[in-house]
Amino acid sequence: MYDYLNITARTIPEAHRKTVYRVWNFGREIYDQRGDHTIELTDVNIKIPTADISHVDDALIKKLDDDFADALTNPEKAEQKGTDFVYAYGERLWSLNQLPKIVALLKSEPNTRRAVIPIYDKIDNCMTISEVPCWSFTQWLLRDGKLHNIVYFRSNDVWGAFPSDAYGIRTLQKWIADQLDAEVGYYSHKIGSAHIRMTDEDAVLNFLS
């Protein structure tokens, strides 16, 4: 039986192509909480075993990806939020000085299983807001001199958001690995609801062709 839920790729662009293909061809149509028409595939697991953190070589996409990555690794930019959002990924990562504490923990306890930062917070279940974090948590494991990264997304637009999400988080992974004098290990990206909006149909079909 074809295993379309578990995807292995060497690079982020390869993972993007494979994931879009799987969701488009094996997902089912649903109308989401906003009423948007989507194609959805649930419980998708993407793994990039290599240290490669390359992304699509397009000037506009590169700028968006670099800006997103900078907002995770740069504490000054991490605090910035858009007017329509009550959260920013970088702000939640740096809240209570968590990232520096995680680096210190990995340095003092290399085999720790506690290098985890939650992004989705209990407050998100208690507020009437239009947007809550899609990225839910991240964990780092330092094993045999390599820093591995496992992330979970409750929801991920695999056509429009996945490449930038993956590139930003991989950049953060390398940023931490450099401070530990470690190699970049594998990247595991787990998605509860991997989806594509039907408004992107033409672009997706052109991409897959």
Side-chain angles (χ1 to χ4, degrees):
M1 183 177 179
Y2 181 54
D3 182 4
Y4 52 82
L5 296 177
N6 293 291
I7 299 164
T8 301
R10 294 165 297 177
T11 64
I12 292 169
E14 182 184 343
H16 184 216
R17 288 192 299 273
K18 287 184 174 181
T19 306
V20 169
Y21 175 85
R22 306 285 180 91
V23 173
W24 188 257
N25 286 282
F26 298 101
R28 67 185 186 95
E29 295 187 42
I30 68 163
Y31 286 86
D32 66 15
Q33 194 169 356
R34 295 187 185 89
D36 292 340
H37 187 192
T38 68
I39 302 290
E40 179 191 61
L41 194 60
T42 60
D43 194 19
V44 173
N45 302 284
I46 305 162
K47 191 167 186 178
I48 302 176
T50 67
D52 190 289
I53 63 166
S54 62
H55 55 112
V56 179
D57 189 19
D58 175 273
L60 176 61
I61 294 175
K62 186 177 189 306
K63 184 180 187 310
L64 292 172
D65 287 359
D66 287 341
D67 286 348
F68 179 73
D70 201 23
L72 299 182
T73 58
N74 185 331
E76 294 181 1
K77 295 186 178 181
E79 293 295 330
Q80 297 176 0
K81 299 180 182 180
T83 55
D84 295 330
F85 286 81
V86 297
Y87 73 90
Y89 290 141
E91 182 268 336
R92 293 202 176 190
L93 286 166
W94 286 88
S95 174
L96 301 176
N97 214 30
Q98 288 186 92
L99 269 178
K101 290 177 180 176
I102 288 296
V103 173
L105 173 62
L106 288 164
K107 284 181 177 179
S108 63
E109 299 290 344
N111 292 328
T112 184
R113 297 185 291 265
R114 300 181 182 182
V116 176
I117 293 182
I119 311 293
Y120 195 100
D121 189 82
K122 55 185 176 293
I123 192 67
D124 297 314
N125 292 322
C126 304
M127 298 173 64
T128 306
I129 53 179
S130 60
E131 297 292 345
V132 295
C134 295
W135 182 12
S136 298
F137 77 85
T138 186
Q139 179 180 16
W140 297 274
L141 294 168
L142 183 58
R143 299 291 185 269
D144 300 320
K146 294 183 179 181
L147 183 70
H148 307 299
N149 197 183
I150 302 166
V151 303
Y152 179 79
F153 275 69
R154 62 166 185 85
S155 169
N156 210 187
D157 177 351
V158 297
W159 163 246
F162 169 77
S164 189
D165 289 336
Y167 178 71
I169 300 169
R170 285 287 264 171
T171 301
L172 176 63
Q173 181 182 358
K174 185 178 186 307
W175 181 82
I176 295 174
D178 287 346
Q179 295 184 67
L180 300 173
D181 196 24
E183 296 179 42
V184 175
Y186 66 73
Y187 176 70
S188 177
H189 188 109
K190 303 177 183 299
I191 309 172
S193 167
H195 58 271
I196 296 170
R197 291 183 172 86
M198 289 301 293
T199 51
D200 293 321
E201 180 177 10
D202 290 343
V204 168
L205 289 175
N206 183 61
F207 176 71
L208 291 177
S209 67

